[in-house]
Amino acid sequence: MVVLRKLPGMPGWPAALGLRLPQKFLFLLFLSGLLTLCFGALFLLPDSSRFKRLFLPRRATASAASSSSSSSASSSSASSSSTRDTDLPRSPPAAAEPRHASPAAPRRLREKLRTAARMAGPPAHTAPGSRQQVQGGERRVQPATGAPLDRETRAPFRFDYERFRRSLRHPVRGRRTGEDPETRARRMKIKEMMKFAWDNYKQYALGKNELRPLTKNGHIGNMFGGLRGATVVDALDTLYIMELEEEFQEAKKWVEKSFDLNVNGEASLFEVNIRYIGGLLAAYYLTGEEVFKSKALELGEKLLPAFNTPTGIPRGVINLGSGMSWSWGWASAGSSILAEFGTLHLEFLHLSELSGNPVFAEKVMNIRKVLSRVEKPQGLYPNFLSPVTGNWVQHHVSIGGLGDSFYEYLIKSWLMSDKRDSEAKKMYDSALEAIEKHLVQKSAGGLTYIAEWRGGVLDHKMGHLACFSGGMIALGAEDAGEERKQHYMDLAAEITNTCHESYARSDTKLGPEAFRFDAGTEAMATRLSERYYILRPEVVESYMYMWRLTHDPKYRQWGWEVVKALEKHCRVEAGFSGIRDVYTTTPTHDNMQQSFFLAETLKYLYLLFCEDDVLSLDDWVFNTEAHPLPVNHTNFKASVQQ
């Protein structure tokens, strides 16, 4: 129908047609009836009709489909749908914002989950590097998917916490028998450092993400998408393990009363996962307090839209309110980062374990399948992968920043599965073999280090972040077979010694951000931009693992040297601060008490001077933020209540 607009100097269109007043009335009555009939016919169209989806909201469509299914009890498809809805577990309470589902059905974790975890539509194909890649609210979950369901359609689910605690082989805090006075005194000193760091954070920055100890105020930053209290969540399990009961209750109260997940900002998927979700999961497993579990599950759901890519490889940045995700602007060609999408596995398996919802496990198992299909240059995993094509973007390989925790999570996935995840162990073994063949080097002075690889050309640099690898290799050596076990323990000890040398050769006895092996220099920073220390934990992390696995007293001695250096150079009036140059005895402070200092550095130092049954490696694995997650000795899920 052509509608004639009224033009200046012309009569209205009914008059132009020569209609009298009664005819105009009848014509308009007929037209309104026709429009009403056409609109009503939309409700009779099939649910799959594109024309229907064009005019009606998805929620209305879904509810109409649900009503239709429930009324057709004799239909086999309706019966099947009803069964799936009943079998699905309960997800955590909804946030104020609408839930966001992942559209692309990833590879199945297990055959029996295929029907339950089918997603709500095909992935959106977008150009790599595009900032606004996915609108989280565009796709809503249909009732029979593995993504979060409305409370009315989810079957009750309960994690058997008491059974889990009975399965632990050692008390969480150990038995504390037969320790020598010096070891205890050193542990108590580290406990005092933790209390000092927490008390100043509480006084000057509670609710902010980090403390600025020089200016005595808080820092929020832009990594966490509007979330607050990163130091609170990161510190929870450390406070608990150190038996700082009053301080733990202060942190718990803040989580209960003030930790708001209904935020709208740009967050690092990686940082939110390892700090917030990891910290909340650990606090729940240690205490059984439901508030930690419910917050972890609710926050986990907010991360799911990041996986809405053609490959299922998540993008690095997500808006926690809208669900939109995109890649980091500095990442080559819109790629995702190996150490980011490869450092989700431990936490997401536990989110599925606690919620009964397989979607979290599905997401990370799909990442593994994508990585198993893609060709690895020289057996190595480059740091940049396109979430659109599933291909490598650059051939830059690093065991430090951009790559590090991917390898850590392979061996820890195997350990966390109680050594049943053979695929993770195989991937780890193959990766370590390639690393040793192509990246492990020996300096002229006899120091073993792990270089970086840029398209076949070695960069003889080792970052502080790579110093975790001594502990990782020692962990994996325990089950490498007798003929390889001693070889890997020796390699782990050599790398840990090199990292110790990077500390010992500085004036402050703290290590630089990166150190090099070129131009006659060994284990020292040669560039001004690499001379800083920001309270990082990786070196003392390796000390802790090497002590636990060898009981060589030098590792405790090295750890105590770090404690003395922290006290001398990083402790200020209102907390601890990083320093800008480790090669001067009067360093300038950076005015930042990082949350990982409380989560990792102090925790690893404390455990170094504990007996082995405190957070025993038989029962726990540490995520890359040092949050302890339990080994799955058995299945702790209670029966689904019908």
Side-chain angles (χ1 to χ4, degrees):
M1 176 186 294
V2 178
V3 179
L4 301 176
R5 295 184 180 272
K6 186 172 181 179
L7 300 175
M10 292 185 63
W13 64 268
L17 296 177
L19 298 179
R20 298 179 180 177
L21 184 61
Q23 294 172 322
K24 293 178 185 178
F25 175 80
L26 291 174
F27 181 84
L28 292 173
L29 184 64
F30 169 80
L31 185 60
S32 63
L34 181 62
L35 291 174
T36 302
L37 181 63
C38 292
F39 184 79
L42 288 173
F43 292 93
L44 302 178
L45 292 174
D47 294 333
S48 60
S49 170
R50 292 184 180 179
F51 192 74
K52 180 174 182 176
R53 293 200 303 266
L54 182 65
F55 289 92
L56 294 182
R58 292 293 298 270
R59 183 175 296 175
T61 305
S63 64
S66 177
S67 300
S68 175
S69 294
S70 61
S71 65
S72 305
S74 61
S75 167
S76 60
S77 62
S79 175
S80 174
S81 175
S82 175
T83 301
R84 289 194 300 267
D85 289 352
T86 303
D87 291 342
L88 282 174
R90 181 183 297 273
S91 275
E97 288 85 357
R99 296 187 187 276
H100 308 296
S102 275
R107 302 294 179 188
R108 300 302 114 190
L109 174 61
R110 294 186 297 271
E111 181 69 24
K112 68 179 183 178
L113 299 178
R114 289 188 176 184
T115 303
R118 201 173 306 279
M119 299 295 102
H125 292 265
T126 53
S130 171
R131 175 177 171 86
Q132 184 173 324
Q133 300 291 355
V134 179
Q135 173 64 50
E138 286 180 352
R139 299 177 179 85
R140 295 195 177 274
V141 184
Q142 302 302 316
T145 70
L149 302 176
D150 291 338
R151 185 172 295 275
E152 293 76 17
T153 62
R154 291 194 301 264
F157 176 85
R158 183 175 64 86
F159 177 81
D160 193 338
Y161 182 80
E162 293 304 319
R163 184 182 175 198
F164 151 67
R165 288 303 295 259
R166 290 193 302 269
S167 77
L168 296 178
R169 297 168 183 173
H170 305 275
V172 171
R173 291 167 169 164
R175 295 183 176 86
R176 304 281 168 83
T177 59
E179 60 182 352
D180 67 275
E182 182 184 63
T183 299
R184 185 181 187 280
R186 290 181 172 183
R187 188 175 68 248
M188 290 301 100
K189 174 57 184 175
I190 298 162
K191 179 177 178 178
E192 182 276 330
M193 294 167 69
M194 178 67 184
K195 178 172 171 55
F196 179 73
W198 170 262
D199 286 346
N200 280 283
Y201 167 77
K202 181 186 70 172
Q203 181 175 353
Y204 298 113
L206 183 64
K208 301 297 192 297
N209 287 323
E210 287 107 357
L211 165 68
R212 291 189 179 275
L214 299 184
T215 52
K216 298 181 181 179
N217 61 346
H219 174 256
I220 294 175
N222 56 8
M223 280 196 305
F224 306 119
L227 295 174
R228 299 290 189 266
T231 293
V232 177
V233 178
D234 253 352
L236 279 164
D237 50 17
T238 309
L239 294 170
Y240 181 83
I241 291 301
M242 291 186 181
E243 300 182 62
L244 291 166
E245 304 292 354
E246 180 180 342
E247 291 78 6
F248 175 80
Q249 291 301 324
E250 292 167 351
K252 175 191 167 188
K253 180 179 179 181
W254 186 89
V255 172
E256 289 177 326
K257 305 295 185 183
S258 304
F259 186 33
D260 184 12
L261 301 184
N262 298 324
V263 295
N264 186 36
E266 303 170 5
S268 164
L269 174 72
F270 167 78
E271 296 290 351
V272 170
N273 178 64
I274 66 170
R275 300 197 200 201
Y276 285 95
I277 292 182
L280 291 166
L281 288 173
Y284 171 70
Y285 282 119
L286 291 172
T287 68
E289 296 284 354
E290 287 291 321
V291 62
F292 301 131
K293 181 178 77 171
S294 64
K295 293 284 188 181
L297 295 177
E298 185 176 349
L299 185 54
E301 287 189 0
K302 288 178 173 290
L303 299 184
L304 290 177
F307 295 81
N308 291 358
T309 67
T311 60
I313 298 292
R315 302 187 190 276
V317 187
I318 182 169
N319 186 299
L320 296 176
S322 69
M324 291 189 296
S325 66
W326 56 90
S327 298
W328 293 106
W330 50 264
S332 179
S335 56
S336 296
I337 311 303
L338 180 67
E340 296 192 341
F341 66 77
T343 310
L344 303 167
H345 201 95
L346 304 184
E347 296 85 357
F348 272 51
L349 288 189
H350 277 288
L351 290 175
S352 279
E353 183 79 12
L354 293 180
S355 68
N357 190 340
V359 68
F360 300 104
E362 291 275 350
K363 299 301 184 188
V364 292
M365 292 307 295
N366 177 65
I367 292 173
R368 186 180 290 180
K369 289 184 180 298
V370 172
L371 290 175
S372 68
R373 290 195 301 265
V374 66
E375 182 180 356
K376 271 71 74 176
Q378 306 296 324
L380 298 167
Y381 289 82
N383 293 335
F384 299 96
L385 185 79
S386 169
V388 176
T389 66
N391 296 321
W392 304 116
V393 176
Q394 284 186 5
H395 284 187
H396 172 216
V397 178
S398 169
I399 310 305
L402 306 180
D404 48 7
S405 46
F406 162 71
Y407 306 97
E408 174 189 359
Y409 271 40
L410 289 178
I411 190 61
K412 288 182 176 179
S413 293
W414 181 68
L415 294 170
M416 195 178 76
S417 72
D418 209 13
K419 302 180 181 180
R420 294 189 294 266
D421 187 354
S422 57
E423 182 182 36
K425 182 65 161 58
K426 181 180 178 181
M427 291 174 68
Y428 170 79
D429 289 341
S430 298
L432 183 58
E433 182 179 348
I435 289 167
E436 188 172 11
K437 180 178 180 180
H438 298 287
L439 304 184
V440 173
Q441 304 289 307
K442 183 86 73 172
S443 73
L447 296 179
T448 300
Y449 62 98
I450 304 178
E452 297 190 6
W453 190 82
R454 299 179 186 276
V457 178
L458 288 182
D459 182 2
H460 296 272
K461 176 187 85 169
M462 188 169 178
H464 194 293
L465 289 167
C467 283
F468 85 97
S469 58
M472 177 191 74
I473 293 170
L475 269 179
E478 287 294 291
D479 293 275
E482 286 303 317
E483 70 283 358
R484 300 294 288 169
K485 177 178 179 179
Q486 191 57 50
H487 168 75
Y488 283 130
M489 287 302 298
D490 291 343
L491 177 61
E494 291 171 11
I495 292 172
T496 304
N497 177 69
T498 298
C499 292
H500 170 256
E501 284 297 312
S502 76
Y503 276 52
R505 298 183 186 196
S506 78
D507 294 348
T508 58
K509 305 306 175 186
L510 295 168
E513 182 69 5
F515 46 93
R516 295 180 179 270
F517 299 84
D518 52 22
T521 299
E522 295 193 1
M524 294 185 68
T526 59
R527 303 178 183 180
L528 289 175
S529 61
E530 298 172 345
R531 298 163 73 100
Y532 62 90
Y533 173 72
I534 57 171
L535 308 175
R536 286 203 186 277
E538 290 78 21
V539 173
V540 296
E541 175 183 355
S542 283
Y543 292 170
M544 189 278 291
Y545 282 117
M546 294 303 295
W547 162 255
R548 288 267 177 118
L549 297 171
T550 70
H551 288 161
D552 187 328
K554 71 181 180 184
Y555 296 113
R556 278 185 165 174
Q557 185 56 40
W558 291 353
W560 187 243
E561 291 171 5
V562 175
V563 171
K564 292 189 294 184
L566 288 169
E567 283 284 287
K568 183 176 181 180
H569 298 293
C570 298
R571 185 164 181 155
V572 295
E573 181 184 352
F576 289 87
S577 170
I579 57 178
R580 300 187 187 280
D581 188 349
V582 299
Y583 298 108
T584 175
T585 54
T586 56
T588 303
H589 294 96
D590 66 7
N591 194 27
M592 185 67 70
Q593 180 177 281
Q594 303 281 351
S595 77
F596 57 69
F597 178 67
L598 290 78
E600 301 184 74
T601 309
L602 292 177
K603 183 187 287 120
Y604 284 133
L605 284 169
Y606 183 82
L607 293 174
L608 178 61
F609 293 95
C610 286
E611 295 302 310
D612 292 354
D613 59 355
V614 180
L615 287 180
S616 168
L617 299 182
D618 293 335
D619 289 326
W620 304 90
V621 296
F622 295 93
N623 86 338
T624 200
E625 191 80 2
H627 295 306
L629 300 173
V631 173
N632 188 9
H633 293 310
T634 184
N635 187 342
F636 311 117
K637 297 175 184 176
S639 298
V640 174
Q641 307 295 320
Q642 299 296 334

